Amino acid sequence: MVPTRKDDLRRMVTQTTIETYEELTPKLIQLIENTKKDDTLTESQKQDEISLHMLGYVKSCTNEIIVEVLAEILGLDD
């Protein structure tokens, strides 16, 4: 679908955002759980690692959203 109005584009981006975050959330949860269980790290190091996981998650989601929306607008296949 090629949006013809900003509102259409906004809906497309919102829907893609929801789908992307739902798809990638289980991996983030797994990374956080593994970090919490890592006895080789101090509590401070665990928090640093979790922060890095969160930043990576947001970056990955943002990149995927951009790619998916542009691919749909441009009619690109996988």
Side-chain angles (χ1 to χ4, degrees):
M1 172 195 141
V2 177
T4 56
R5 298 181 358 212
K6 269 178 117 174
D7 198 44
D8 296 335
L9 178 60
R10 189 172 287 111
R11 274 193 289 278
M12 179 187 288
V13 170
T14 298
Q15 183 60 40
T16 304
T17 299
I18 291 167
E19 292 169 3
T20 301
Y21 274 76
E22 286 176 351
E23 180 181 320
L24 296 179
T25 297
K27 180 64 176 170
L28 173 64
I29 292 169
Q30 180 184 4
L31 287 170
I32 291 172
E33 290 302 317
N34 289 345
T35 300
K36 286 180 178 180
K37 294 175 185 175
D38 189 344
D39 293 332
T40 66
L41 300 174
T42 66
E43 285 304 314
S44 178
Q45 289 171 324
K46 288 178 184 181
Q47 288 304 312
D48 289 346
E49 286 293 314
I50 290 170
S51 293
L52 288 174
H53 295 325
M54 295 293 292
L55 288 170
Y57 170 72
V58 171
K59 181 184 178 298
S60 295
C61 288
T62 301
N63 288 348
E64 188 62 24
I65 292 162
I66 292 168
V67 168
E68 287 299 319
V69 169
L70 285 175
E72 187 169 339
I73 291 171
L74 298 172
L76 304 175
D77 294 326
D78 284 332

